[in-house]
Amino acid sequence: DTEVTQTPKHLVMGMTNKKSLKCEQHMGHRAMYWYKQKAKKPPELMFVYSYEKLSINESVPSRFSPECPNSSLLNLHLHALQPEDSALYLCASSQVIATGTTRTLGQFFGPGTRLTVL
Amino acid sequence: AQSVTQPDIHITVSEGASLELRCNYSYGATPYLFWYVQSPGQGLQLLLKYFSGDTLVQGIKGFEAEFKRSQSSFNLRKPSVHWSDAAEYFCAVGHSYNQGGKLIFGQGTELSVKP
């Protein structure tokens, strides 16, 4: 299995709703990422999980709450979002090389969740 | 500061013509470089990557890229473009793991293909 899956594909929510995005991979990757992408722009990194621990939070507002229940699963919990949060939310995963100069071998992206906040 | 520049926002080529998409990077150490492609409404697909070794790397869908350290470039090429290649292309440089393995993306180049 060489893919990253994301559910749902589309989500419409009001500003008072609570919803969650789900991401799953079965490639044995130990780094997982959430990105936000606006139209005609590159993805913007939101969070990085490494070995199920949050390693990077790119100053994301607290209305976005990530969770990594196990090495295959990554969730993004959404609460009290704003219309400007409407975007394509992408999940990615990567293998981690544990060497003296550790790097990732490139990230594999899911198809994304198209989120619309009304 | 590390950065990636894709000088061309939009390129149009005729089907069957050759293609070169430009990418310049600024990175202190030896860079890990990537090209991704994104079709409308889809996620990003990894086309190819460069870590070390041979500076000409082959990728999927008939794409190749050449790493030129002296020019800080990693241009993407394809000898004959197909209509299905119309998409957004992103060049990226990868940070070291202790910075989360972050990817720094260029702004993207939108490719249109004329019949």
Side-chain angles (χ1 to χ4, degrees):
Chain A
D1 190 350
T2 58
E3 65 172 10
V4 177
T5 59
Q6 289 188 244
T7 53
K9 287 189 177 178
H10 301 275
L11 179 62
V12 179
M13 60 187 291
M15 289 191 284
T16 57
N17 292 156
K18 282 187 182 181
K19 296 286 185 184
S20 296
L21 310 184
K22 180 180 168 182
C23 171
E24 197 162 3
Q25 57 89 14
H26 295 287
M27 294 179 278
H29 291 173
R30 301 307 297 272
M32 295 186 78
Y33 310 77
W34 278 116
Y35 288 85
K36 173 183 177 180
Q37 187 181 27
K38 291 284 208 178
K40 302 291 187 184
K41 295 290 186 184
E44 298 171 27
L45 183 66
M46 299 173 72
F47 303 103
V48 180
Y49 271 84
S50 179
Y51 294 94
E52 296 87 71
K53 288 191 169 54
L54 182 66
S55 60
I56 290 185
N57 176 341
E58 292 284 279
S59 303
V60 179
S62 59
R63 57 185 184 267
F64 295 92
S65 174
E67 178 196 21
C68 190
N70 59 55
S71 60
S72 300
L73 212 51
L74 186 67
N75 298 321
L76 185 63
H77 303 297
L78 314 173
H79 174 53
L81 294 194
Q82 304 296 311
E84 60 264 28
D85 296 321
S86 298
L88 181 68
Y89 287 83
L90 295 163
C91 173
S93 71
S94 67
Q95 186 182 0
V96 178
I97 313 169
T99 64
T101 53
T102 53
R103 298 285 186 105
T104 59
L105 288 179
Q107 296 173 22
F108 292 84
F109 284 79
T113 294
R114 175 74 58 190
L115 174 67
T116 303
V117 182
L118 301 176
Chain B
Q2 294 86 355
S3 65
V4 177
T5 302
Q6 293 178 247
D8 304 304
I9 295 173
H10 189 200
I11 282 184
T12 300
V13 299
S14 297
E15 191 167 16
S18 64
L19 171 70
E20 181 169 36
L21 301 183
R22 296 184 290 163
C23 173
N24 293 97
Y25 67 89
S26 171
Y27 193 74
T30 300
Y32 282 18
L33 294 160
F34 308 89
W35 274 100
Y36 286 89
V37 61
Q38 185 177 32
S39 297
Q42 301 296 312
L44 278 71
Q45 183 180 23
L46 181 62
L47 282 176
L48 46 76
K49 59 196 176 199
Y50 171 78
F51 296 146
S52 65
D54 195 344
T55 56
L56 185 64
V57 293
Q58 302 296 321
I60 62 172
K61 304 186 178 192
F63 285 93
E64 67 178 26
E66 187 171 12
F67 171 61
K68 292 186 177 179
R69 185 186 299 274
S70 61
Q71 297 177 21
S72 297
S73 69
F74 188 57
N75 294 347
L76 182 71
R77 300 194 293 246
K78 187 170 184 178
S80 177
V81 167
H82 188 261
W83 63 267
S84 60
D85 294 323
E88 188 84 21
Y89 290 80
F90 292 100
C91 180
V93 63
H95 262 306
S96 59
Y97 171 63
N98 61 1
Q99 296 183 51
K102 290 166 60 172
L103 288 177
I104 302 170
F105 287 95
Q107 289 300 304
T109 297
E110 183 180 4
L111 174 66
S112 298
V113 180
K114 289 191 300 186

